[in-house]
Amino acid sequence: MRPSVTRQGVTQLDARALYFVSYDGLVNTNSFQKNGLSTHRGHQYAAWYTASRHAVVARRSLGATSWSTVTLTHRLKADDSHNVISLGVSAVDGRLHLNMDSHSDGFFYVKSLAGLLDDPASTAWTRSAFGAVRTTLDGLALTSQFTYPQFVSTPEGRLQLSYRAGVSGNGRNALAEYDGSRWTALGEWTGATGTYTSEHGSSTARNMYLHGIDYDTRGRLHALFTWREQDAAVMCAGGGLTNHDTGYVYSDDRGRTWRNDAGAVVGVTGGPDKVCVGASGLVVDPLDPDHALMNQESQFTDSAGRPHAVISHVPARCGQRATDYVADRTAHGRAFHLRKTASGGWQKTAIPVPLGSSQRTKLVLDRYDNAYAVLPFGRIAAASRASGYTDWTLLFDGGGLNAFGEVVVDETRIRADHVLSFLYQEKSTGTTPSALHVADFALPA
């Protein structure tokens, strides 16, 4: 079966969603949200900030054109596009969890009543269904420098929270876990120490940026990533990005022990040994810091449990090094599909659609393992498994959406009803609010 998309329609979440551009992105549609849009038991859930700066959470039955909304008491504290809202589902007790409004500082957390998601058709969607907004995970304080909440559901129905402790260029990734009764801090699993040396200079501190963290159908936890160095001496020019290399690790014990692509242990969560830049066998696609490699793009696993990722950078064939990452990525940047093959190697294929943007691309696979890249402005390109993912073609050019840039893809809906669903916000100017929508495209069933 070849890849295809059939446009089903667009629904409006908010006619006046909060709008400001920060770090070249919008707080409502940063693609590293996991998840800003999510599906569970026949219903889809979304979260955003409205023009009043209040956090809003909404739901609809799959296929419905109208959404039911609840406005929470929390209001966005800063005009910072990092301060996203992330949604998580703990199937073990039927709760919806929200983590929001943080960038190297404290977070805000709220969870629903138990069972709210188990029978959506007969449960009231009101503010009373959600508890108080807290600055801890039910009393568990994690770090005073918290960023990038990403929820991931375990095969047993527990909920894990991935986050960064520390700051850009000097931070550590960590995990916490909810078992239906309480949260537990599992601890940090990456390290910031060690020396990285490029042709230009060296750096002794960094952080790992995840392209994703996901369980496959067999229960293996996958994480593709890039490193960001603290010291700009590793670059040819100060206007670039210190990101380098694409790496890969996995865990077969729910994130407690981490192994490289060859199966060797390279880190233990909460233990003295962390996944660090000097560990062997981490890099699966080497790239130096002079190509404006973007952090936190996207990953997905196929039906055989093999990891796929989309990464983007300025190709070496352009004959230049990135000196202004926004301008260079917009003018020359390309997205690439990176995947582990059946033979155990890694294949990298350029997606022949100019980015025309500094921003990120999302990746999903359909039931036939065809790959779909949702590029900035809501454009959709696809490649077939049958071709070995070499026939990338633009299937939808984003026409009529007027999307700002990055979109938030519902990674969970693909398996529910074979629909590619993504949240996007219309372009605006200054701080003038704009409409927020969800677009739906049917994939091969």
Side-chain angles (χ1 to χ4, degrees), residues 227 260 265-267 274-283:
W227 295 108
N260 66 15
V265 175
V266 289
K274 305 292 195 299
V275 181
C276 292
V277 73
S280 64
L282 297 183
V283 176

Side-chain angles (χ1 to χ4, degrees), residues 45-67:
Y45 300 86
W48 69 94
Y49 298 102
T50 195
S52 66
R53 307 180 73 86
H54 283 93
V56 178
V57 60
R59 75 174 180 186
R60 66 167 174 173
S61 59
L62 292 183
T65 58
S66 61
W67 295 76

Side-chain angles (χ1 to χ4, degrees), residues 30-48:
N30 252 317
S31 70
F32 54 72
Q33 290 174 252
K34 195 172 179 71
N35 292 287
L37 190 65
S38 186
T39 293
H40 182 71
R41 291 202 172 190
H43 280 68
Q44 190 173 45
Y45 300 86
W48 69 94

Side-chain angles (χ1 to χ4, degrees), residues 370-386:
N370 298 313
Y372 300 80
V374 188
L375 296 141
F377 317 119
R379 298 166 294 165
I380 305 172
S384 67
R385 175 188 176 184

